[in-house]
Amino acid sequence: MTKLDSKIPEGPVAEKWTKHKFNLKLVNPANKRKYDIIVVGTGLAGASAAATLAELGYNVKAFCFQDSPRRAHSIAAQGGINAAKNYQNDGDSIFRLFYDTVKGGDYRAREGNVYRLAEVSVNIIDQCVAQGVPFAREYGGLLDNRSFGGAQVSRTFYARGQTGQQLLLGAYSALSRQIGLGKVKMYSRTEMLDLVMIDGAAKGIVTRDLVTGEIASHAGHAVLLCTGGYGNVFYLSTNAQGSNVTAAWRAHKKGAFFANPCFTQIHPTCIPVSGDHQSKLTLMSESLRNDGRVWVPKKVGDKRNPSEIPEDERDYFLERKYPSFGNLVPRDVASRNAKEQCDANKGVGSSGLAVYLDFADAIKRLGENSVRAKYGNLFDMYAQITGENPYKSPMRIYPAVHYTMGGLWVDYNLMTTIPGLYALGEANFSDHGANRLGASALMQGLADGYFVIPYTVGDYLAGLGTKPVDKNHPAFKEAEDKVKALTKKFLSIKGTKSVTHYHRELGRIMWDYCGMARNAEGLTKAKGLIKDLKEDFWKNVKVLGEGEELNQSLEKAGRVADFIELGALMVEDALNRNESCGGHFREEYQTEENEAKRDDENYAYVAAWEFKGEDKAEELHKENLKFETVKLTQRSYK
Amino acid sequence: MNLTVKVWRQKNSKSEGKMVSYNVKDVSPDMSFLEMFDVLNEDLISKGDEPIAFDHDCREGICGMCSMYINGRAHGPKTGITTCQLHMRSFKDGDTIVVEPWRASAFPVVKDLVVDRGAFDRIINAGGFVSVNTGGVPDANAIPISKIDADAAFDAATCIGCGACVASCKNASASLFVAAKITQLALLPQGQVERAARVEKMVAQMEAEGFGACTNTGACSVECPKEISQDTIATMNREYYAAKASSKNV
Ligand SMILES: Cc1cc2nc3c(=O)[nH]c(=O)nc-3n(C[C@H](O)[C@H](O)[C@H](O)COP(=O)(O)OP(=O)(O)OC[C@H]3O[C@@H](n4cnc5c(N)ncnc54)[C@H](O)[C@@H]3O)c2cc1C
Ligand code: SF4
Ligand code: FES
């Protein structure tokens, strides 16, 4: 068994990053232009990395599958970004953000990584403001903050309900500047379909031009995967339609370990499913829980209109069970409690799969205009989708798949188990443990791209020498041929069922057996179901059209094929982890009060899976987590 | 409800396109417009016909990818929303719906309803940014910004780069898109240093891309899903003439 070396520096947690930065090798400024770096993805992680590396002098090639780098899924983030600025003077500090994040992640994240994240969080806000990101401000002209779940301080910076958009446009503008200067070559509508390896190290990628269908390869001294999360394995999620695991999965099959795949976040406040036609779920930002109160009728099966249910017949279950955090408990706790109420037949709406999120008190207290100023676009979005007015009657919400804490295993330098291959942002597993706190993904994406990778990648490159990568190496042609063969295969099956059919089926299996609550029996069943689905897919999938043209069914076929394999690994991982922690709730392991029951003795490790060949069982590697600063306790938000 | 949908089909940028009529059955009013297209596409696939290519990603009105010209209006009959936010409850049983791609020579059709909006990126590349490198910037609270300016900058910054303004304009002008970015950065202290150079470079690129001139008809702002104000165009013009007058720049 290979030993996973996390490369966390020795010494006190607060000094690790400073010390590490000093010890990293540097590439001298004149040599930087001799290195080519490939950045796949232009979300917060990718755009910030590509821009910063180009500013430093490296040659960057950046890729995204949308028609413009500005459309990466980060654009959809609503609520905000955390930073330990303590502008509110309410007791925040780097240490507190670190502590909250480790605790919120239910003690399944690395202390060293999380501390660094909290440390650089303060620089992120400075950087964004300098780029012209219009964060919300107070009348005195200084920056405003709000609170998010799992914290008792106000440390979340925001731009109305469009924080992700504004941050991404900031990073996109920095990227655009480098494209204009010729330091970044941008490839939009181009999808990475394989990794090229030479002598065990990452040296390039194979891509498909989504307009012409041309398969080509690109060489680089290092490859950065900033390709986002894999929530769409559930078919229905809050992710964008194109979000996928393909880049990460194909790298996994080339040797990059996949860590904690079963750690998924189910977000408590999403608009409930309305019918079979549903193609995606829409999030209602967590920031709403600052002012919205979650409740269900006390009586089972109470179908009265919410306005007819008197105060004393309502159960504000989060406030009742968790008086000190109330509606602002972490996401996993809020989601599970909503499910619990619905399972007890107290759910509302026609499906019974919803709880109320009520703003009546906030509107009474602050006035409708103040509520509109804070959340206007979210309320509009709700009204648009449901046809109901949330200023007049409470919103109906239900949990939905939102974020994936799992991802490619990386060390402290963000390098995967493949030398020269890095993973940044949601694509890696590193900072959120078993549950991510709200407003921390934006922070992590930008931390990785602006402030971590620019230091750590140099250390690797400095050791390589400046020789260009040999584009004539047979590895490039081999990888290209493999991709071409796969395209041909999809088009030649000519089966009877559409790609979407398989995606939807997979989603159903994952949601039913590997969703908000899991148990050994269900997971074992899911294993069989996924195996059958995979077999059926490769026999009966129907992909029309040609390879040498824009072909959206073909794009999707590749993504769904990878999701099916990933789904199998997620189930395996969930089955292996005989404990409950954060978003991973195994019904067999719960406290008397139905809270997640961890098993620190046996499971305080990162599960990193190694691909061993098609249809072979993956091998589990364990990275034991050391807690030197934070004491492991049962999480309590009471 | 049952609908007739007439859609622009075009194999690629080189071939001719034409309108093709389809029947879509059992459409639920809760479906989004794009979900109605999903149903239509699944039906086409089952019959062995190639599905209709269209751009979309977030499906919640923020990525700017979706771009359908519906019954003669960019993003359909309602104002202030994108195609993906349009729901079928805005239509009724028996309706005929005509769907075309954005039409503008600077946005060539790639396939069916998909167009190439690369020109927008190139305009931003030309100057739609503040030239700061990562690191070494002042503390975020070092420069207070009045809430009024910050809010106005935010309003302009909400542009999603969808191109509906261009598609709605009889001149196919990109003025609203460009003006939104110019206004955002002109309002903020961080944007001041490059203020004059920015407007000149962006306007020059806009013209080079072949977008038409603005004649102040205002259709852009009416159809803009983010309701970017037409005032931004006045701001852009002011900024442009001031820059030219100061003649310090290109
Ligand atoms: C609706 C919603 C709201 C959210 N709100 C918040 C919030 O308020 N606060 C917060 O902190 N977090 C929030 N999150 C989470 C956060 O937005 C994401 O985790 C984060 O933005 C991911 O950024 P990223 O850069 O890692 O990936 P993404 O932004 O997903 O970017 C992925 C990039 O990779 C590219 N790509 C992927 N695969 C390929 C391939 N094979 N070839 C080429 N390119 C590829 C894509 O084109 C894209 O450019 C939210 C998430 C959702 C879904
Ligand atoms: S100005 Fe409005 S219509 Fe034009 S690109 Fe921006 S959001 Fe779209
Ligand atoms: S699909 Fe993103 S705005 Fe419509």
Side-chain angles (χ1 to χ4, degrees):
Chain A
M1 194 165 114
T2 27
K3 203 171 149 284
L4 290 166
D5 181 3
S6 66
K7 303 217 172 90
I8 301 278
E10 294 296 320
V13 73
E15 289 162 29
K16 286 181 195 290
W17 180 230
T18 310
K19 207 170 112 187
H20 190 68
K21 276 193 289 190
F22 182 73
N23 289 330
L24 290 170
K25 279 180 272 183
L26 299 172
V27 177
N28 99 39
N31 276 346
K32 289 206 175 82
R33 65 188 153 75
K34 297 181 184 150
Y35 291 102
D36 300 319
I37 301 178
I38 289 175
V39 180
V40 188
T42 59
L44 288 179
S48 58
T52 307
L53 293 170
E55 288 161 7
L56 288 172
Y58 296 109
N59 304 312
V60 176
K61 281 185 173 186
F63 298 82
C64 71
F65 63 74
Q66 292 91 347
D67 68 331
S68 162
R70 66 180 289 152
R71 308 203 201 281
H73 178 54
S74 295
I75 201 95
Q78 302 170 347
I81 176 167
N82 288 330
K85 282 284 198 187
N86 194 30
Y87 282 160
Q88 304 304 324
N89 195 28
D90 60 355
D92 200 10
S93 62
I94 290 172
F95 192 85
R96 189 177 296 281
L97 174 54
F98 154 72
Y99 177 85
D100 286 349
T101 308
V102 172
K103 176 185 172 195
D106 218 356
Y107 309 96
R108 289 295 173 262
R110 281 188 200 137
E111 283 190 347
N113 283 59
V114 177
Y115 195 91
R116 173 175 67 190
L117 176 65
E119 199 176 330
V120 303
S121 70
V122 296
N123 305 109
I124 296 173
I125 303 304
D126 299 343
Q127 190 62 39
C128 297
V129 167
Q131 291 166 342
V133 169
F135 282 120
R137 288 181 182 264
E138 292 169 347
Y139 281 101
L142 300 182
L143 293 161
D144 191 19
N145 291 114
R146 51 168 60 144
S147 333
F148 258 51
Q152 287 172 311
V153 293
S154 284
R155 62 160 74 101
T156 306
F157 294 79
Y158 66 101
R160 228 168 285 169
Q162 285 151 254
T163 316
Q165 179 197 29
Q166 294 309 317
L167 295 176
L168 183 62
L169 293 182
Y172 162 77
S173 73
L175 173 65
S176 299
R177 174 171 159 241
Q178 295 305 316
I179 297 171
L181 292 170
K183 284 303 289 179
V184 175
K185 175 120 181 61
M186 183 68 223
Y187 296 82
S188 297
R189 288 204 204 267
T190 306
E191 183 167 27
M192 165 182 166
L193 292 178
D194 212 349
L195 182 71
V196 179
M197 308 245 304
I198 299 177
D199 300 331
K203 294 292 175 191
I205 60 171
V206 177
T207 56
R208 179 169 179 273
D209 179 324
L210 299 182
V211 175
T212 63
E214 189 199 358
I215 308 285
S217 50
H218 303 267
H221 294 87
V223 176
L224 278 46
L225 298 186
C226 314
T227 46
Y230 52 84
N232 276 346
V233 66
F234 289 88
Y235 184 68
L236 287 182
S237 83
T238 62
N239 289 7
Q241 299 289 293
S243 299
N244 70 89
V245 76
T246 289
W249 190 253
R250 304 218 175 153
H252 173 57
K253 290 171 93 170
K254 287 261 163 110
F257 292 5
F258 210 107
N260 299 334
C262 82
F263 285 176
T264 32
Q265 176 161 85
I266 317 270
H267 196 293
T269 52
C270 301
I271 300 178
V273 175
S274 73
D276 282 342
H277 56 265
Q278 195 99 18
S279 60
K280 81 154 280 160
L281 295 169
T282 304
L283 174 76
M284 289 284 103
S285 166
E286 174 155 317
S287 57
L288 292 171
R289 286 198 274 141
N290 270 297
D291 288 304
R293 300 179 68 195
V294 177
W295 65 276
V296 290
K298 278 187 181 158
K299 244 188 5 239
V300 167
D302 189 340
K303 288 290 164 205
R304 279 179 294 173
N305 196 304
S307 62
E308 290 161 12
I309 302 180
E311 210 45 45
D312 63 338
E313 291 179 42
R314 299 174 174 194
D315 181 10
Y316 295 90
F317 54 92
L318 292 178
E319 295 170 25
R320 171 172 58 79
K321 288 176 70 178
Y322 309 96
S324 60
F325 280 70
N327 292 295
L328 282 173
V329 291
R331 293 174 175 176
D332 54 334
V333 178
S335 290
R336 215 149 41 232
N337 274 282
K339 178 177 188 296
E340 209 174 274
Q341 297 300 328
C342 295
D343 287 350
N345 277 326
K346 292 184 186 172
V348 299
S350 55
S351 66
L353 288 178
V355 300
Y356 289 125
L357 180 63
D358 199 334
F359 292 89
D361 282 356
I363 290 173
K364 219 182 289 159
R365 186 164 35 102
L366 307 165
E368 190 170 316
N369 282 339
S370 295
V371 171
R372 178 167 288 128
K374 270 180 157 167
Y375 309 115
N377 71 319
L378 298 170
F379 277 50
D380 292 349
M381 204 191 268
Y382 184 86
Q384 198 52 248
I385 293 172
T386 60
E388 288 169 23
N389 178 354
Y391 293 101
K392 296 277 173 286
S393 57
M395 290 182 178
R396 277 176 292 106
I397 52 157
Y398 196 67
V401 174
H402 177 59
Y403 181 88
T404 49
M405 281 76 69
L408 291 176
W409 185 91
V410 289
D411 65 15
Y412 192 63
N413 294 324
L414 305 181
M415 201 196 282
T416 66
T417 50
I418 297 177
L421 180 71
Y422 294 79
L424 282 66
E426 195 174 338
N428 74 26
F429 88 104
S430 67
D431 298 356
H432 307 294
N435 172 59
R436 175 175 70 77
L437 290 184
S440 287
L442 302 181
M443 169 171 75
Q444 184 224 332
L446 290 179
D448 288 358
Y450 283 136
F451 298 111
V452 179
I453 198 74
Y455 289 90
T456 59
V457 81
D459 184 61
Y460 170 75
L461 296 174
L464 281 185
T466 53
K467 231 175 67 202
V469 176
D470 176 15
K471 187 72 205 295
N472 295 318
H473 193 284
F476 286 95
K477 172 99 184 14
E478 251 166 59
E480 277 180 38
D481 287 346
K482 217 181 87 191
V483 170
K484 284 180 190 157
L486 188 64
T487 303
K488 257 211 196 96
K489 186 159 176 199
F490 283 128
L491 293 168
S492 66
I493 297 172
K494 297 196 190 323
T496 50
K497 293 177 229 165
S498 73
V499 177
T500 304
H501 162 83
Y502 289 99
H503 195 185
R504 198 179 272 136
E505 284 305 303
L506 175 68
R508 214 165 275 159
I509 300 170
M510 296 305 291
W511 180 248
D512 286 351
Y513 303 109
C514 199
M516 246 188 298
R518 304 143 177 202
N519 60 54
E521 195 190 334
L523 289 164
T524 310
K525 183 165 173 205
K527 256 171 94 160
L529 292 172
I530 296 173
K531 190 163 169 277
D532 296 346
L533 189 73
K534 183 174 170 182
E535 253 177 57
D536 190 52
F537 176 89
W538 287 104
K539 264 192 225 129
N540 293 318
V541 74
K542 180 173 183 178
V543 183
L544 298 167
E546 295 152 35
E548 295 76 35
E549 61 171 0
L550 192 150
N551 187 337
Q552 293 173 326
S553 309
L554 178 64
E555 291 163 28
K556 203 161 177 216
R559 295 173 191 165
V560 171
D562 293 338
F563 275 139
I564 294 176
E565 295 183 4
L566 166 75
L569 184 63
M570 288 171 71
V571 166
E572 198 60 52
D573 187 44
L575 205 48
N576 169 69
R577 196 169 276 279
N578 291 311
E579 65 162 349
S580 293
C581 56
H584 169 65
F585 193 71
R586 279 281 300 269
E587 286 168 335
E588 304 96 313
Y589 309 101
Q590 45 182 307
T591 66
E592 273 162 25
E593 291 143 323
N594 307 103
E595 304 292 346
K597 193 164 152 198
R598 287 197 325 267
D599 176 355
D600 293 329
E601 200 146 321
N602 295 305
Y603 291 94
Y605 65 72
V606 176
W609 298 88
E610 181 184 7
F611 182 78
K612 302 298 273 185
E614 296 292 340
D615 296 314
K616 294 222 177 76
E618 300 221 0
E619 183 181 336
L620 173 64
H621 300 264
K622 298 175 185 173
E623 178 200 334
N624 289 318
L625 291 165
K626 282 196 283 270
F627 293 91
E628 295 165 339
T629 313
V630 177
K631 217 169 91 239
L632 289 164
T633 51
Q634 152 91 27
R635 265 192 326 171
S636 168
Y637 292 95
K638 294 198 188 291
Chain B
M1 55 186 151
N2 298 325
L3 303 164
T4 305
V5 186
K6 292 189 174 162
V7 186
W8 183 258
R9 301 298 310 255
Q10 179 172 336
K11 189 153 175 60
N12 55 46
S13 57
K14 288 175 198 81
S15 56
E16 300 257 301
K18 60 170 191 298
M19 298 300 295
V20 180
S21 191
Y22 302 99
N23 293 319
V24 194
K25 289 198 194 70
D26 299 328
V27 174
S28 134
D30 287 332
M31 274 181 192
S32 72
F33 198 78
L34 297 184
E35 283 166 350
M36 185 270 287
F37 260 74
D38 292 342
V39 171
L40 170 56
N41 271 344
E42 285 297 294
D43 190 44
L44 290 175
I45 294 172
S46 74
K47 291 182 187 142
D49 291 340
E50 254 200 76
I52 301 155
F54 62 93
D55 265 332
H56 64 111
D57 200 26
C58 73
R59 294 205 175 187
E60 53 187 64
I62 196 74
C63 73
M65 193 114 177
C66 62
S67 44
M68 292 187 186
Y69 202 72
I70 303 162
N71 287 344
R73 293 186 64 184
H75 294 306
K78 298 191 87 173
T79 55
I81 57 167
T82 53
T83 304
C84 60
Q85 291 175 296
L86 178 63
H87 278 71
M88 295 315 292
R89 65 180 81 90
S90 297
F91 299 90
K92 54 183 195 312
D93 190 41
D95 275 358
T96 296
I97 308 174
V98 180
V99 188
E100 293 174 87
W102 284 174
R103 302 279 187 198
S105 58
F107 287 166
V109 173
V110 173
K111 180 173 184 173
D112 298 339
L113 302 173
V114 176
V115 300
D116 178 356
R117 286 170 288 197
F120 270 11
D121 285 325
R122 291 188 291 274
I123 294 172
I124 300 291
N125 297 347
F129 44 75
V130 176
S131 297
V132 287
N133 285 352
T134 303
V137 299
D139 183 87
N141 258 350
I143 312 172
I145 302 176
S146 93
K147 183 169 164 49
I148 296 165
D149 285 343
D151 285 351
F154 174 86
D155 286 339
T158 56
C159 163
I160 56 174
C162 63
C165 45
V166 175
S168 312
C169 175
K170 66 181 168 53
N171 309 317
S173 163
S175 289
L176 195 64
F177 167 77
V178 180
K181 185 49 75 183
I182 301 234
T183 303
Q184 176 202 343
L185 295 178
L187 280 165
L188 297 172
Q190 289 81 6
Q192 298 311 308
V193 176
E194 297 165 284
R195 189 167 171 176
R198 176 180 307 116
V199 67
E200 288 191 86
K201 288 181 186 165
M202 290 179 74
V203 168
Q205 188 64 36
M206 168 172 81
E207 286 168 0
E209 295 289 350
F211 290 105
C214 172
T215 51
N216 283 314
T217 49
C220 53
S221 188
V222 173
E223 299 296 351
C224 169
K226 297 296 144 183
E227 301 176 316
I228 301 288
S229 159
Q230 212 190 329
D231 296 347
T232 58
I233 299 183
T235 303
M236 174 171 76
N237 291 337
R238 237 181 0 256
E239 293 285 316
Y240 185 74
Y241 293 118
K244 283 288 177 209
S246 77
S247 78
K248 265 200 309 223
N249 300 285
V250 276

